Amino acid sequence: MSSRELILGRVRRALADVPRDDTPYEQAVPRGYLREHGDRSVAETVDLLAENLADYRAIVHRCAAGELAATVAGLLAAHGSASVVVPAGLDETWLAATEVTRVPDRAEDTSAELDRVDSVVTGCAVAIAETGTLVLDGGPDQGRRRITLVPDHHICVVRVPGQVVSSVPQALERLDPARPLTWISGPSATSDIELDRVEGVHGPRTLEVVLVSGG
Amino acid sequence: MSGTFVGMPAFPEAAHEAVNNPTLRANLRHATHTIRAKRAVAVSELDDWAALREAGKQIKDHTLRHLDRYLVQLEESVTAAGGVVHWAADADEANRIVVELVRATGESEVVKVKSMATQEIGLNEALEAAGIRAYETDLAELIVQLGKDRPSHILVPAIHRNRGEIRDIFAREMSEWGRPAPEGLTDTPAELAEAARLHLREKFLRAKVGVSGANFMVAETGTMMVVESEGNGRMCLTLPETLISVVGIEKTVPTWQDLEVFLQTLPRSSTAERMNPYTSMWTGTTDSDTADGPRTFHLVLIDNGRTDTLADEVGRQALRCIRCSACLNVCPVYERAGGHAYGSVYPGPIGAILSPQLRGTESEIDASLPYASSLCGACYDVCPVAIDIPEVLVHLRERIAEGGQVTRKGNKVVLKPAKGHAAERAAMRAARWAFGHPGALRTGQRLASRTRRFHPRTLPGPGRAWSDTRDLPAVPAEPFRDWWQRTRGGKDVPK
């Protein structure tokens, strides 16, 4: 007998007490919890996102669509970046104002090559206000998971209010489980030493979020 | 479970040592009290916490009650998404499967993201025996691994170490494993984290094989999920060519939507954050033209005592555990005894009910664990999936003292009453009789009061084991019932 059959057989014998007509899933799981917490206007939801991002030490900037290129260029310059990884489908106008060397996100490039790049600029799939979370789903303006991981500086552009939801349940509704997903809440952090929070262990130590309106 | 803990003394001896270590107690007290207070704030932000907790409990219970169906569905979904599913009945089989999978890649080292399941089965030791080096990449796990130590907390495995001890371990040991610690390393947490970053980055960038666990597996979609803070998890899940995930069968949930409950309750219960810094979700492997992440994905589903636990109608609720560790941080016993005293990778209240069920109660340490509690119930109050830990503790105590039918490796066996509990059983029988005979009880109480000057400080005979670790309560000068009759509840006592 294979271990698969062995384990499934043990499970079935262990559940001898469960009646055949046990409550089906739809009725067994009460969904009485809230779809979002609090009653906010759209503008207040965006404010809450900014507040919660900053609370977990992301650096938040806000600008209008027309100022985005200048904002991104300014952030790269302020960080002293000489090179930036660019996902294949990133809106070219976002980087129109910077001279920094562009490195395309290509599958054949090694992790070590990526490690030598200073910054990465991406969009996102959805942002969650209540938790201060950015979700990346590998879309054309976000690229592979590793490009937002290996470089030490990540600039993430969020279109507000279109890409912002209030809560975790609302975010999951918008996401496709078949895509590789990365949820980011503030920069990399650890609390493993006496529970003192230290930013930046293995992921980017600096996370800058640009909330761009009117795009 | 792991061979690491073989020969562990029973809980009372191990705890005795820990309680007499002032550094350990100070480290633990600081950590548990800090996180306890933060958790209460994080939870109070959600005014539907009770409803989320109930939903989490029901999702896990429903899944466990139909686990055969959901496991088959999970296997189909993972396979359809390009993953390969393996089944392991016990720790040895799981280790054998992983060793073979690593060997097939031709590699001799793997990077690991922290995983309770692989600690439980002793995977690192098995890999080492096969000539494969496993690098732990979570900062706390790194501290434990470099310190040749054992984890003492589910979430913060090095909770028992302070910054000075960590500095010393890094300075002494890092060069043995790769890049040495920087010259003049101080004990500030930021510098220590930086040293770990440098030490591990060279390993991440060359790693070809990653090993992980998973917090949840979605049967409907085949999606795996890992929550973490540092980014070491993302490194292990994303950069290697081959990913091997070793996961207990109880980590299954039916649907994608179910994650909305646990993504709210798990971070707030464990690190007391609104959300942990990083969560990764992946479903099999992606097509080669959009390749993102490992090209090969193996899922090793492990039983290792879980189906035996499932067979116990009272004890099976322990399998709802989502490993948040909130119960450790509120436990007065854990706070004083520390995690090592539990002799298992699962310490604290959840460990006290999980380990004796996964491993059976044959060993001295496992038979002692259900007694490692004051039954205060704080663990039940904070549990985000409402595991009634005190109920299971009492249930296991009864099984140990009285014996009875249990399931071991899928077979029903009858346990004999444990040795060393004869006095307890006799005392309980006597108590039952006395409470059923009020006249005898009254006479006995009066006799006890009148002879109280002659009572010994410790009990003789088999009762000595009990009184060795406890102060005997002083018998009052007058039985309560006599006092009540005389004074009518204190009303007649002159002021």
Side-chain angles (χ1 to χ4, degrees):
Chain A
M1 186 166 46
S2 72
S3 292
R4 178 184 188 277
E5 296 316 310
L6 180 74
I7 294 169
L8 287 172
R10 284 180 184 174
V11 170
R12 288 179 187 124
R13 283 199 303 281
L15 296 173
D17 64 300
V18 178
R20 294 183 75 104
D21 59 347
D22 197 39
T23 318
Y25 169 77
E26 292 73 21
Q27 289 149 38
V29 180
R31 303 273 179 196
Y33 51 85
L34 302 171
R35 302 309 294 173
E36 62 182 303
H37 298 85
D39 189 18
R40 287 177 300 269
S41 67
V42 170
E44 283 167 346
T45 301
V46 175
D47 288 346
L48 181 64
L49 172 67
E51 191 184 310
N52 283 336
L53 281 165
D55 193 33
Y56 283 167
R57 317 280 169 86
I59 304 164
V60 181
H61 310 274
R62 303 179 79 152
C63 72
E67 303 157 347
L68 182 58
T71 303
V72 171
L75 296 180
L76 289 170
H79 192 258
S81 297
S83 56
V84 58
V85 188
V86 184
L90 195 80
D91 188 335
E92 282 176 23
T93 64
W94 293 5
L95 290 170
T98 179
E99 297 296 309
V100 169
T101 307
R102 290 158 172 69
V103 178
D105 166 29
R106 295 184 310 187
E108 60 269 30
D109 290 339
T110 65
S111 308
E113 284 166 321
L114 203 52
D115 193 33
R116 288 193 283 272
V117 181
D118 297 317
S119 299
V120 57
V121 178
T122 71
C124 76
V126 64
I128 308 168
E130 286 178 9
T131 56
T133 303
L134 311 167
V135 186
L136 275 54
D137 71 353
D141 61 347
Q142 298 150 53
R144 292 169 181 79
R145 285 180 280 173
R146 60 184 194 163
I147 68 167
T148 56
L149 173 63
V150 181
D152 204 17
H153 179 220
H154 179 195
I155 299 170
C156 184
V157 178
V158 183
R159 294 188 178 87
V160 300
Q163 290 187 310
V164 184
V165 297
S166 275
S167 66
V168 170
Q170 291 173 350
L172 281 164
E173 279 169 15
R174 284 206 191 187
L175 294 166
D176 175 1
R179 305 188 72 97
L181 301 173
T182 304
W183 297 44
I184 300 173
S185 309
S188 161
T190 185
S191 302
D192 279 345
I193 303 164
E194 297 182 20
L195 294 174
D196 269 5
R197 191 178 164 102
V198 178
E199 270 78 37
V201 193
H202 307 299
R205 280 178 284 200
T206 310
L207 172 65
E208 302 203 66
V209 184
V210 184
L211 304 179
V212 56
S213 54
Chain B
M1 279 198 248
S2 162
T4 323
F5 297 102
V6 164
M8 267 296 290
F11 184 84
E13 290 99 280
H16 188 74
E17 232 170 78
V19 166
N20 286 318
N21 178 342
T23 309
L24 177 69
R25 282 188 61 167
N27 294 352
L28 281 168
R29 190 186 146 78
H30 167 72
T32 55
H33 282 248
T34 304
I35 200 159
R36 197 188 291 187
K38 277 179 65 189
R39 178 201 160 272
V41 174
V43 166
S44 70
E45 282 186 6
L46 300 186
D47 42 22
D48 60 341
W49 185 258
L52 284 166
R53 184 177 188 239
E54 180 63 18
K57 171 188 173 183
Q58 297 300 345
I59 290 167
K60 293 290 267 190
D61 256 3
H62 170 81
T63 317
L64 291 169
R65 289 168 73 87
H66 302 278
L67 191 58
D68 50 340
R69 180 152 58 82
Y70 287 118
L71 285 173
V72 171
Q73 190 188 8
L74 174 75
E75 180 184 46
E76 283 167 7
S77 305
V78 170
T79 308
V84 184
V85 178
H86 310 260
W87 300 72
D90 56 25
D92 287 345
E93 187 175 17
N95 289 331
R96 222 162 37 235
I97 292 169
V98 177
V99 165
E100 277 167 28
L101 290 173
V102 177
R103 277 199 177 133
T105 66
E107 296 295 317
S108 58
E109 59 180 38
V110 302
V111 285
K112 281 188 69 202
V113 47
K114 175 173 181 269
S115 141
M116 300 305 296
T118 60
Q119 276 175 12
E120 174 191 318
I121 62 174
L123 178 63
N124 289 4
E125 293 79 4
L127 287 171
E128 196 184 328
I132 299 160
R133 207 156 203 200
Y135 297 113
E136 291 292 348
T137 63
D138 171 81
L139 177 52
E141 288 290 339
L142 177 72
I143 296 165
V144 169
Q145 188 175 42
L146 292 177
K148 301 177 183 69
D149 195 358
R150 294 194 311 263
S152 69
H153 189 280
I154 291 175
L155 185 76
V156 202
I159 198 169
H160 57 293
R161 297 289 200 183
N162 62 31
R163 60 186 71 192
E165 296 174 286
I166 295 167
R167 193 214 75 91
D168 294 345
I169 291 169
F170 278 12
R172 198 176 61 233
E173 301 291 338
M174 268 185 173
S175 59
E176 288 290 305
W177 291 78
R179 182 172 174 149
E183 287 288 321
L185 180 68
T186 74
D187 68 357
T188 60
E191 264 193 52
L192 295 170
E194 175 69 14
R197 179 188 177 94
L198 295 171
H199 179 78
L200 287 172
R201 183 150 288 228
E202 59 169 32
K203 299 191 169 69
F204 287 133
L205 297 183
R206 68 166 189 250
K208 296 282 190 288
V209 183
V211 173
S212 84
N215 293 89
F216 297 94
M217 310 186 281
V218 181
E220 173 190 45
T221 60
T223 306
M224 317 289 297
M225 178 176 130
V226 165
V227 301
E228 47 123 6
S229 297
E230 297 169 10
N232 65 304
R234 294 184 62 194
M235 292 274 183
C236 295
L237 300 167
T238 316
L239 299 185
E241 290 167 5
T242 302
L243 172 60
I244 303 166
S245 298
V246 182
V247 190
I249 52 175
E250 84 285 9
K251 294 291 181 89
T252 314
V253 296
T255 71
W256 173 249
Q257 193 192 352
D258 295 327
L259 297 179
E260 72 190 16
V261 174
F262 302 111
L263 274 169
Q264 295 189 80
T265 53
L266 176 55
R268 290 178 200 261
S269 297
S270 56
T271 50
E273 293 169 305
R274 289 183 199 104
M275 187 65 84
N276 48 290
Y278 293 128
T279 297
S280 297
M281 299 181 192
W282 72 100
T283 304
T285 52
T286 46
D287 301 337
S288 53
D289 57 327
T290 56
D292 186 2
R295 288 199 294 267
T296 311
F297 169 58
H298 294 277
L299 171 61
V300 183
L301 294 172
I302 58 170
D303 176 348
N304 204 36
R306 284 160 178 76
T307 50
D308 292 340
T309 308
L310 192 65
D312 187 314
E313 290 172 35
V314 178
R316 76 166 58 131
Q317 59 184 306
L319 298 175
R320 291 206 297 261
C321 178
I322 57 173
R323 315 281 190 259
C324 73
S325 74
C327 63
L328 276 60
N329 301 324
V330 297
C331 178
V333 177
Y334 175 85
E335 183 189 323
R336 290 163 178 84
H340 290 156
Y342 293 80
S344 158
V345 298
Y346 303 110
I350 186 65
I353 61 169
L354 204 49
S355 307
Q357 295 200 88
L358 292 177
R359 303 192 292 206
T361 51
E362 287 81 4
S363 76
E364 205 191 345
I365 178 80
D366 286 313
S368 73
L369 285 176
Y371 295 86
S373 167
S374 64
L375 299 180
C376 76
C379 48
Y380 178 34
D381 290 342
V382 297
C383 178
V385 286
I387 301 170
D388 192 341
I389 295 177
E391 182 192 21
V392 182
L393 285 168
V394 171
H395 169 71
L396 293 175
R397 287 181 189 188
E398 186 186 346
R399 177 196 290 173
I400 287 162
E402 303 283 340
Q405 196 180 62
V406 293
T407 306
R408 296 307 305 156
K409 294 189 182 344
N411 299 311
K412 290 205 166 70
V413 294
V414 178
L415 277 187
K416 278 190 228 149
K419 282 181 197 152
H421 291 267
E424 186 184 329
R425 276 193 298 279
M428 286 302 153
R429 267 198 297 275
R432 206 177 303 147
W433 182 85
F435 286 122
H437 297 79
L441 179 63
R442 180 172 310 155
T443 310
Q445 284 178 334
R446 284 183 183 153
L447 186 65
S449 287
R450 281 178 206 142
T451 58
R452 69 195 194 115
R453 279 190 300 129
F454 310 110
H455 293 177
R457 287 249 179 98
T458 55
L459 292 174
R464 201 152 137 200
W466 192 86
S467 61
D468 268 355
T469 47
R470 292 170 180 86
D471 296 324
L472 279 181
V475 174
E478 181 180 30
F480 173 76
R481 299 194 313 178
D482 288 2
W483 171 84
W484 182 271
Q485 278 196 337
R486 185 168 59 76
T487 65
R488 290 191 299 141
K491 283 185 194 145
D492 289 358
V493 174
K495 294 268 157 73

